[in-house]
Structures are given as C-alpha cells and as structure tokens.
Amino acid sequence: MATCASTSVRPVFVLGCPRSGTTMLQLMLHAHPRIALPPETRFVLPAYEDRLRFGDLREPGNRAGLAQWITGRKETRFHELGLDAHSVAERIADAPPTLGSALGVPLQAYAERHGKVRWGDKRPAYALHVDAILRLFPDAQFVHLVRDGRDCVASLLGMPWWHRGFHEAVATWAQVMDVTRRYARRLGPDSWREVRYEDLLADPETQLRGICAYLGEEYAPETTEPHRLAGTAVPARKTWHQRTHGALDASRAGSWQQRLTPDQIRLCEAVLGERLVRNGYELSGAVRPDPAELLHYRRVEALRRAAHAKRRMLDRLARVREPGPVAARPVTTSEFRA
C-alpha cells in the first residue's frame, strides 16, 4: 500500500505532429508509477466539438446521455481502456455537471485501474486544439514532442491510414509547428514542455528527468523502458506501432535521407527550412524545388489553414450558445492508496 500527501493532479496531455513519436512518449510516461496515459482515445475532441447536442449537463438525463455516448460507442474507443462501461457511465452521471468533468472520469478511472494518481491523454490532433483542451481542463500540462519534419513526412507516407499525399504531410508538420509555437509562448514553462524526439532517443534519462521535473514528479528509471508496456498499452490493431515493442532505437532519426526522393527533399527544405533550423535540424542544401510543385504545396497549405480558421470561428459561435460551463472542476486527492 502506498500513500501520497494532498496534491494537485493536473492532467497531462502529450501531443505533436502525427508520426513524431508520441506513442513512445505515452508509454514512457505510462511507465511512471504515478502517471497513466491510455491508448489513444476518440471522445475528448468529438464531445467538445459537438457539445451543444448534449444539452445542459446540470440535467441528470443529459449527463446520462453523454455517459452512454462515451462508453457505448465503438467510435470513442472507450472499449480499449479495459474499463467497465456501466460503472464508468454511472460515475459520469454523478460527476460535476460540466463537460470537462464528465470527460475526465474515464481517464481518471483508467489511472485508478493501474493504481496511478495522475491521468491524461495522448493524441497528436491535440496540437491543433490546445484551446479546447484548456477550456475543458484549465490546469492541464502539455508535453509537445517535436521530430524532424522530413522524418515525420517520410513516416506518414508509409502509413496505411495516410491517404492525403505528400504535400498534405508537409503542410501538416508546418501547421503543427506554427500553432504550437504560439501556445509555447502563451502558456510558458509551467504548462508547456517541448522535447525533441531525437534527444529523447539519444539520451532518454536526461530528457525524462526534465519532463518529470516539469510535471512535479520524481524521476522513475522505468520510464526509459517503454517497450515493457507496449504489449498491454498499445492496441494490437495498430501494427504501425510495432517498433514500440522493442528497445529504443535511434537509427530512424534522419532516415528521411533514404526514404524521401530528391524532389521531396527539395520541397521540404524550401517550405520548412526556417522551422527546421529553428528547432535544431540541419538542412542538406538541396536546390529550390520546381515552381509548379511549390505552387501546389501553397494551395494545400492555404486550404489547411482556411479549414483551421473555420473550425475556430465555429467554436466561437458555439461558445455563445453553451447552456452551461465546460471546464472541469479541479481534482485533488488528500490520500491515494495503490
């Protein structure tokens, strides 16, 4: 039996561009004796974006409807948490009447299942929706994992679920880097921590010590061996995460040089160069890309940014119509036993 003194349990959110190593970092933090990060869920952002449909959560029937939406649908991936749907639904119905409090219940229940105090979530998409996470969980702490954009692009192109093409992959990394840079400045070192994937692979202990200090937790040596948890914390259907089942391997860093074509490298460095250098990545010195390719990219990039601006506008309109508060009520624990 272990106990801990009264402490704030700020939720932890891991984010980054897709294929930047967020699953590896999730497993590392999940190995900590006080932190639990579940397999990637699909209920936090969808519930927030569609929050008006759930009505005023001060009404018990509406909370029960939200609970069923979270626990009873395959799309939310609640079933991958290994929790009893009925008991979690009851806890959601009994939770404080805010969307954030309701959404925190299954994540907290997952932590309790593993004997942990701290809970959170990992999803690359959170990188473009930090405002939503902060509205739901105002005391959240974020860990942003940054990977060389050329490696992210090369990895995305090899994924069975990526069907958007090369230019979209490049624009995705650029947008994530631009958006997260603004949040890093806004939130500061108490709520935002940035770590490079390459540094985490090269010297995991040093990087994890820094992350633990940022989170206000003692360093735990077991966090450097994430593969020990991959069999239980990574769903078997995610075959593209097979590398998480083995020891840390730094050989994939810089593999873009073999995986991207010369034309792809030229475009990447032309449009991502300033961002790459700012984050400590060296350029290969590739010549300028074909003007037609550059124009194609600019169109894709503009469409992505327009879509993001539209989502932000719709969010502002939805805020006016919210029937009640959305922020989770802070959770503290005076005593925790595992």
Side-chain angles (χ1 to χ4, degrees):
M1 180 181 294
T3 64
C4 69
S6 177
T7 180
S8 170
V9 285
R10 297 176 67 182
V12 181
F13 289 87
V14 171
L15 47 79
C17 181
R19 302 306 296 167
S20 60
T22 55
T23 297
M24 177 186 71
L25 181 55
Q26 169 221 336
L27 293 174
M28 288 175 161
L29 294 180
H30 187 57
H32 194 283
R34 282 176 44 89
I35 302 171
L37 291 184
E40 201 167 299
T41 62
R42 284 290 191 277
F43 54 79
V44 173
L45 287 182
Y48 176 78
E49 292 173 348
D50 208 14
R51 60 197 180 277
L52 298 183
R53 69 174 287 189
F54 301 115
D56 189 341
L57 295 181
R58 288 168 291 195
E59 296 292 332
N62 290 338
R63 292 201 301 278
L66 172 60
Q68 179 59 32
W69 183 90
I70 293 173
T71 63
R73 301 170 64 251
K74 185 177 180 180
E75 292 84 355
T76 65
R77 298 185 183 171
F78 172 84
H79 62 282
E80 294 185 346
L81 301 183
L83 302 172
D84 179 73
H86 179 72
S87 63
V88 171
E90 285 188 336
R91 286 181 60 174
I92 292 173
D94 292 338
T98 75
L99 182 61
S101 293
L103 294 174
V105 165
L107 299 174
Q108 185 177 5
Y110 181 82
E112 292 169 0
R113 176 192 165 210
H114 290 275
K116 310 288 188 73
V117 179
R118 298 286 294 273
W119 56 269
D121 203 5
K122 182 277 292 188
R123 190 179 174 190
Y126 291 150
L128 299 181
H129 298 274
V130 174
D131 272 342
I133 301 300
L134 284 171
R135 291 204 70 217
L136 294 167
F137 309 107
D139 58 343
Q141 287 185 287
F142 299 90
V143 183
H144 176 212
L145 194 58
V146 177
R147 186 183 185 185
D148 188 320
R150 295 161 296 190
D151 274 332
C152 284
V153 169
S155 186
L156 278 171
L157 294 180
M159 292 299 101
W161 42 265
W162 183 261
H163 308 292
R164 302 178 185 177
F166 166 68
H167 297 85
E168 185 81 19
V170 178
T172 297
W173 190 83
Q175 186 179 28
V176 167
M177 296 308 297
D178 291 347
V179 171
T180 53
R181 189 183 186 203
R182 292 194 292 270
Y183 284 120
R185 290 197 297 258
R186 170 182 153 191
L187 296 179
D190 181 58
S191 296
W192 190 272
R193 175 83 177 186
E194 208 156 78
V195 180
R196 291 202 329 165
Y197 168 82
E198 295 81 4
D199 296 336
L200 189 57
L201 282 181
D203 189 0
E205 180 176 338
T206 297
Q207 296 302 318
L208 287 163
R209 282 185 180 277
I211 293 172
C212 288
Y214 156 70
L215 295 175
E217 301 288 350
E218 291 186 9
Y219 168 70
E222 52 266 49
T223 56
T224 62
E225 298 181 312
H227 63 280
R228 296 185 180 278
L229 296 178
T232 56
V234 177
R237 63 179 176 80
K238 295 190 174 184
T239 56
W240 51 90
H241 288 320
Q242 189 61 38
R243 289 181 177 272
T244 61
H245 293 260
L248 297 178
D249 178 12
S251 67
R252 298 295 278 181
S255 64
W256 58 267
Q257 298 176 70
Q258 294 78 43
R259 303 172 73 190
L260 294 179
T261 69
D263 286 343
Q264 290 173 334
I265 293 172
R266 280 194 283 269
L267 182 68
C268 280
E269 296 197 353
V271 300
L272 305 179
E274 181 180 339
R275 301 176 184 90
L276 289 167
V277 171
R278 186 167 61 232
N279 285 279
Y281 301 109
E282 294 184 3
L283 303 183
S284 68
V287 298
R288 295 285 295 178
D290 181 277
E293 281 290 291
L294 190 57
L295 179 60
H296 185 184
Y297 169 78
R298 296 301 183 195
R299 288 172 177 165
V300 170
E301 180 186 46
L303 287 173
R304 280 191 63 87
R305 295 184 185 279
H308 186 64
K310 181 180 179 180
R311 286 195 300 269
R312 290 175 63 85
M313 180 190 69
L314 292 174
D315 179 63
R316 288 193 292 269
L317 292 174
R319 294 185 191 198
V320 177
R321 301 169 56 199
E322 289 171 353
V326 300
R329 294 181 182 174
V331 177
T332 60
T333 176
S334 58
E335 185 178 72
F336 176 80
R337 294 182 175 88

